[in-house]
Structures are given as structure tokens and as C-alpha cells.
Amino acid sequence: MKKLLFIGLFIVAALFGHSPAFSQDEATKPGYKNGESWLFTSKDSGTIGSDPSKMLNGTYELSIVDGKIKIAAVTGSQKDELDPRPPTLICLLGFCPNLNFPLSVGKQWGRDYKGTYIGSSKTMARKVTYEVKAIEQVTTPAGTFRAFKLESDDRAGPRDYWVTNYWYSPETRSIVKYQFDATAGGQEAGLKREIELIKFTPAK
């Protein structure tokens, strides 16, 4: 009887002993609270077609107000709400297909869509694939985070594609670092974008 009790306790201990490791290796879908905010810097280089207004250079605040996400450009103490909200900035939180929860290393997914080049009305079929590549320590001006590294490949052809690398932190429930390169397919010109988290303010 004592032997059976010992075996039972050993199994329970083994199961609970592995639980923390499993939770650390998987990111579940986040929830957000009113009053939370994230401050990012964005730096664009290269070109973005014929519409320079689409460039994101500066400091941007994402905040949750009345259950909705608001985005503002920040210059010193001044905040100017952006409307429409830039999709790239919205997707720094868990609201877009680039974050398909739960996240775990090796997970892959994809989607097909139709898009247009900036300055053109012609549509093209594109396919974007996503993969969780690794778990890494990432340092930004906001601190050092244990983050899931993801990569997306968005293409319309063998030489018409762009690549995005981004790091999601369960601690901030956001992407903390983002690198986009539209010249990955060998194009001579294209947009390059780098975004980093510089401050996270939790709800009070």
C-alpha cells in the first residue's frame, strides 16, 4: 500500500513539476485592460511607393480606452490621435493574424489575400506564411524580455516578397521588437521599418 502511495505521489509531482515549463514555452491569447499603454519608436528607411504619408517615423502610443485601442503620435508632451489607425501599429498587440494564439516554437500558419501596391489600383494575389522560430531574450529601451521570435513571409512571386521578424513578449502582451524588409526578394528599392517598445504602463 505504501509503495502504491509513493508511486502515485511521484506521478503527481512529475506532472506538476512540468507545468511551469510548459506555461513558459507557450503564450496564450492576451487580454487587455483600460488604462494600459505601450510607447513605441518607429524608424522607416528606403521607399514606400508614391505615398510618403504612409511612413512611420517617430514615437507612437497605443492605449486601451473604453475597451478599444487608440493610437496617437507623440511629440514631447503633445499627443495627436491617428485616424485611420496605421495597421502596422494595431498589429503590435494581439489583434491581427500575425499573432495566432497560443504561440509555441515550431507553430506555422498562413493566409491568402489580395493586395495592391501603393499608388496603384491593380490587385494581386498574395500569400503570407507565419512561423514561431524560437524563444529569445530581447533587449529594447523598455527593458529585457523573454520573447517569442516570429517570422512572416509575404509574397506574390519568387522575387516579389517581403520578410518581417518580430518578437512577442507575454510580459507586456505585445510585440516588443519589429523588423520589416521589403527588399528581401532582391528588389533594389523598398521600405525597411524598425519598431521598438520604449515603455509599457500597466493598468492601475
Side-chain angles (χ1 to χ4, degrees):
M1 180 69 180
K2 290 182 178 179
K3 185 176 181 180
L4 290 174
L5 179 60
F6 174 78
I7 293 173
L9 291 172
F10 177 80
I11 293 173
V12 171
L15 288 172
F16 281 93
H18 283 287
S19 294
F22 176 79
S23 63
Q24 291 176 0
D25 293 338
E26 181 178 87
T28 57
K29 186 174 182 177
Y32 297 103
K33 298 179 180 180
N34 289 331
E36 293 182 311
S37 65
W38 299 257
L39 201 63
F40 294 91
T41 58
S42 179
K43 182 180 179 181
D44 284 358
S45 59
T47 59
I48 188 167
S50 59
D51 191 352
S53 67
K54 300 293 185 181
M55 302 286 274
L56 292 175
N57 281 306
T59 303
Y60 302 90
E61 181 188 72
L62 281 65
S63 59
I64 305 298
V65 180
D66 295 331
K68 298 179 181 180
I69 180 173
K70 288 192 174 182
I71 300 177
V74 180
T75 305
S77 59
Q78 182 177 338
K79 297 180 183 180
D80 296 314
E81 187 173 347
L82 301 181
D83 186 18
R85 300 167 298 175
T88 296
L89 298 181
I90 295 175
C91 292
L92 293 173
L93 302 186
F95 298 119
C96 300
N98 62 326
L99 293 170
N100 184 12
F101 297 98
L103 302 177
S104 58
V105 175
K107 181 175 181 178
Q108 300 178 2
W109 66 97
R111 64 187 178 94
D112 298 311
Y113 73 99
K114 290 188 180 295
T116 61
Y117 289 112
I118 294 174
S120 171
S121 59
K122 183 179 179 181
T123 61
M124 76 207 80
R126 302 193 67 91
K127 181 177 182 65
V128 56
T129 58
Y130 307 89
E131 182 178 359
V132 183
K133 306 292 284 187
I135 297 176
E136 299 179 346
Q137 293 289 116
V138 179
T139 299
T140 77
T144 299
F145 305 95
R146 185 175 184 271
F148 289 79
K149 179 184 178 181
L150 298 95
E151 180 180 289
S152 69
D153 180 303
D154 187 323
R155 64 178 61 215
R159 288 184 58 82
D160 181 4
Y161 68 93
W162 47 80
V163 174
T164 306
N165 288 296
Y166 49 107
W167 289 259
Y168 173 85
S169 166
E171 181 180 345
T172 64
R173 286 162 291 126
S174 72
I175 291 171
V176 294
K177 190 172 184 177
Y178 172 102
Q179 297 173 333
F180 171 84
D181 186 1
T183 66
Q187 300 92 327
E188 294 183 0
L191 175 70
K192 291 185 179 181
R193 173 173 289 157
E194 294 189 7
I195 301 175
E196 285 189 326
L197 179 71
I198 59 175
K199 185 179 180 180
F200 167 60
T201 303
K204 294 181 181 181

